[in-house]
Amino acid sequence: MSVTTTDAGSRADDDGGGDGDHETDEVTATEPTDAEPTPAPPRLSVGLAVGLGGFAAALLAAGSLLSGAVALLGVALLGASLSVVSVRLCSAAGVTFVLAFVAAAATGAVAAPLVGGAILAVAAWDVADHGIGLAGHVGREAPTRRNELVHAAASLAVGSAAGAVAFGVYLAAGAGQPSTALVFLLFGGVLLLVALRD
């Protein structure tokens, strides 16, 4: 009889141990995991891109209302590209800015605002494109502030140098030159910037 009692107690102990193991398994299964990075451009890049684009549109509008309106469409596309993280929309924004330059030339825009608007518009597009790249590689939470600021400063520096050269050549060619000549010179500067960033 004592043997039977011992077996029953052993089975009870085994059942109790089994319950404890089961509870331990449940706790282990619910351990938290590392959060995934947010696949979105850093907020600084978004602010810089939209801000630079807005100033570009204002300068282009000072030279030509039509050019400013087209540039505003470019800013809207730029903002949309950053919102949905779309390289295609960012490229469409860049093309729209180029169309704004063409509109400025077609309406005989004043040269100085056209140069300033072109520099800022190209920088806005470049900063947005860089921000989208950061979204795909490290996400929004990564500490990229210094990288973003250095990239934006470099983009403005190269764009300003290209714009200054284009404007200098335009002035050296004579005041009677049409704005179309300046647009072609600026377009060459844009191509230079794109080549340097790659």
Side-chain angles (χ1 to χ4, degrees):
M1 296 297 292
S2 59
V3 173
T4 306
T5 303
T6 304
D7 291 340
S10 298
R11 284 195 298 271
D13 290 340
D14 290 340
D15 290 342
D19 289 344
D21 292 343
H22 180 66
E23 289 175 2
T24 303
D25 291 342
E26 287 182 352
V27 172
T28 304
T30 57
E31 287 182 354
T33 57
D34 294 335
E36 292 293 328
T38 305
R43 291 182 177 86
L44 178 59
S45 287
V46 174
L48 285 173
V50 174
L52 289 169
F55 280 119
L59 281 174
L60 291 170
S64 164
L65 290 178
L66 176 61
S67 177
V70 176
L72 275 179
L73 176 59
V75 175
L77 287 171
L78 209 61
S81 74
L82 292 165
S83 177
V84 301
V85 194
S86 170
V87 175
R88 183 171 297 179
L89 278 177
C90 187
S91 298
V95 171
T96 305
F97 282 134
V98 171
L99 292 177
F101 307 154
V102 174
T107 54
V110 181
L114 177 57
V115 173
I119 293 169
L120 293 177
V122 172
W125 167 78
D126 187 46
V127 168
D129 185 70
H130 182 65
I132 290 173
L134 289 175
H137 286 93
V138 296
R140 171 165 284 177
E141 292 82 6
T144 57
R145 185 179 182 86
R146 182 176 180 180
N147 174 278
E148 295 170 77
L149 290 174
V150 169
H151 185 91
S155 181
L156 282 170
V158 175
S160 297
V165 170
F167 192 54
V169 172
Y170 174 77
L171 292 178
Q177 296 295 321
S179 299
T180 308
L182 180 57
V183 169
F184 280 117
L185 289 171
L186 289 172
F187 187 68
V190 170
L191 292 179
L192 173 63
L193 176 60
V194 171
L196 288 175
R197 67 186 292 276
D198 291 338

